[in-house]
């Protein structure tokens, strides 16, 4: 079945460092891809999404490009802030409307 | 427009008791998803429901767990005879019917179950 594999972490960076969190997927058909973020004690919030190949999702300085040839949707940010500390989840929604999440990557940004 | 409402936010049960977790989707949303998040782990899909219909329950344990989404009222995740390993955060999410493949799931704040 459809699945998502992401870099597990944890990841610790200094403020203003460059962030990459890798995500690859396995799916039949043409899935939509998402990144969600979970702040401590809260539910998940959508960060960005892409619904077809070569689409780039972006929000709050984060970006991810839907790469069909490498089945990837890596999350990047050029300069992280302490407030970006959270758990990041890569997710896929396939043709059957099931949403599947990766294991999550905990990011800690130190001042 | 209220978001996805889950209750209770925190639930404590003793081993062998029953736990019922409720989820009211966003207004206009007819799809509900339940996920379980164990401490320091990722989100595990449990079940996907529409009104009065289970679409996919491939992530549900075969015993003690059940879910429903009746025509009226919230979706219920029921865990019978709870064990310590059931202690987790249970998240509900909803989405609208149309344009499903591009849909964003809207999550509730979660229900944290502790089994003593």
């Amino acid at each position: 079945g459809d699945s998502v594999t992401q870099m597990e972490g944890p990841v610790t960076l200094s403020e203003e460092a460059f962030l990459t969190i890798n995500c690859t997927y396995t799916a039949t058909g043409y899935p939509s891809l998402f990144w969600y973020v979970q702040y401590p004690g809260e539910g998940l919030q959508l960060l960005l999404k892409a619904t077809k190949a070569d689409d780039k999702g972006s929000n709050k300085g984060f970006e991810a490009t839907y790469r069909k040839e490498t089945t990837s949707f890596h999350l990047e940010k050029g300069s992280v802030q302490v407030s970006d500390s959270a758990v990041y989840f890569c997710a896929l929604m396939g043709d059957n409307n099931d949403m599947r999440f990766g294991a999550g990557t905990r990011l800690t940004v130190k001042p | 427009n209220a978001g996805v409402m889950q209750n209770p936010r925190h639930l404590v049960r003793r081993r062998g008791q029953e736990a019922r977790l409720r989820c009211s989707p966003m207004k206009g949303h007819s799809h509900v998803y339940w996920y379980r998040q164990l401490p320091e782990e990722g989100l595990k899909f449990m079940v996907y429901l529409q009104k009065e219909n289970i679409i996919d329950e491939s992530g549900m344990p075969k015993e003690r767990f059940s879910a429903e989404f009746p025509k009226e009222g919230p979706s219920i995740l029921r865990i019978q005879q709870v064990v310590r390993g059931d202690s987790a955060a249970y998240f509900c999410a909803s989405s609208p019917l149309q344009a499903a493949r591009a849909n964003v799931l809207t999550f509730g704040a979660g229900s944290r179950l502790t089994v003593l």
Side-chain angles (χ1 to χ4, degrees):
Chain A
D2 295 351
S3 66
V4 173
T5 302
Q6 67 178 100
M7 187 170 81
E8 289 196 12
V11 175
T12 302
L13 296 173
S14 297
E15 209 165 21
E16 299 184 2
F18 184 85
L19 169 71
T20 300
I21 301 177
N22 290 339
C23 172
T24 57
Y25 67 90
T26 301
T28 55
Y30 302 94
S32 295
L33 301 174
F34 306 81
W35 277 99
Y36 280 80
V37 58
Q38 183 182 31
Y39 298 102
E42 299 183 12
L44 276 69
Q45 304 171 25
L46 177 70
L47 181 59
L48 52 85
K49 70 174 183 178
T51 57
K52 62 182 187 297
D54 300 323
D55 270 2
K56 177 187 284 188
S58 61
N59 185 25
K60 300 180 181 179
F62 290 89
E63 292 183 341
T65 301
Y66 190 148
R67 302 279 188 207
K68 196 170 190 303
E69 63 276 15
T70 55
T71 61
S72 66
F73 193 54
H74 304 322
L75 182 68
E76 296 182 337
K77 185 173 185 181
S79 177
V80 293
Q81 305 300 313
V82 172
S83 57
D84 293 328
S85 297
V87 182
Y88 292 83
F89 291 91
C90 186
L92 167 159
M93 178 174 277
D95 292 343
N96 58 0
N97 299 337
D98 278 3
M99 182 77 95
R100 292 290 189 270
F101 287 83
T105 302
R106 181 177 298 279
L107 170 66
T108 302
V109 180
K110 296 187 173 180
Chain B
N1 185 14
V4 177
M5 304 302 293
Q6 289 190 247
N7 67 82
R9 290 293 310 276
H10 301 277
L11 182 63
V12 179
R13 286 287 179 266
R14 297 190 180 281
R15 281 179 295 171
Q17 292 184 320
E18 179 179 286
R20 282 184 181 235
L21 309 177
R22 290 176 290 277
C23 170
S24 297
M26 280 189 71
K27 186 176 180 180
H29 284 194
S30 58
H31 295 217
V32 166
Y33 303 75
W34 283 95
Y35 294 86
R36 176 165 61 177
Q37 185 177 37
L38 294 168
E40 301 303 315
E41 292 190 17
L43 277 173
K44 300 296 185 184
F45 168 78
M46 298 184 75
V47 62
Y48 164 37
L49 310 106
Q50 294 177 4
K51 287 279 188 183
E52 300 182 283
N53 196 16
I54 295 175
I55 305 301
D56 182 353
E57 57 182 348
S58 58
M60 290 278 273
K62 293 288 185 255
E63 297 177 349
R64 302 188 297 107
F65 284 73
S66 63
E68 63 177 7
F69 189 16
K71 186 177 180 181
E72 301 291 337
S75 175
I76 306 287
L77 179 67
R78 182 182 179 206
I79 311 172
Q80 295 177 288
Q81 299 175 323
V82 296
V83 300
R84 288 214 174 106
D86 297 332
S87 296
Y90 292 83
F91 288 96
C92 172
S94 71
S95 72
L97 175 63
Q98 62 271 22
R101 279 184 56 237
N103 275 343
V104 170
L105 295 193
T106 302
F107 277 81
S111 292
R112 282 162 178 78
L113 172 65
T114 301
V115 179
L116 301 177

